[in-house]
Amino acid sequence: GFHGKYDVDETSPDRPVVRVDLRYYEVSDEEVANFTKVLQAFPRLATLQFKSTKITDAGLAHLKDLPLLRSLALENSAITDAGLGHLKALTYLEELDLKGTKVTDAGVQDFQTALPKVKVER
């Protein structure tokens, strides 16, 4: 029911899903919750991309269930500095795309205090 793209690791015999791109579908907080449950079936998932004005701080709480994410895009979402607190559980995170969000410089600085190795794009 979701309109997006995914990539698999072609070098691995079991071809696990490693990247999911939902930037072409306006996902709501409830759909983030439901989709996160589905994505837990892909333990090697490293990249997740959203571009949705319907995602708020509440929707980010569900992403803690994907602790091995290394790259996360939340473009154009309605998230604020408060929502970044939910992402501090993603200790493997290396890249975070916050283009078009309501996150401030202070929010990014606080986030990077907890996860200093994350490259944040705004």
Side-chain angles (χ1 to χ4, degrees), residues 34 37 53 71 76 89 115:
N34 294 334
K37 290 175 188 171
T53 58
S71 179
N76 297 340
L115 297 174

Side-chain angles (χ1 to χ4, degrees), residues 88 106-118 120:
K88 291 178 182 177
V108 170
Q109 186 174 19
D110 179 63
F111 175 77
Q112 289 194 299
T113 298
L115 297 174
K117 295 180 183 178
V118 178
V120 178

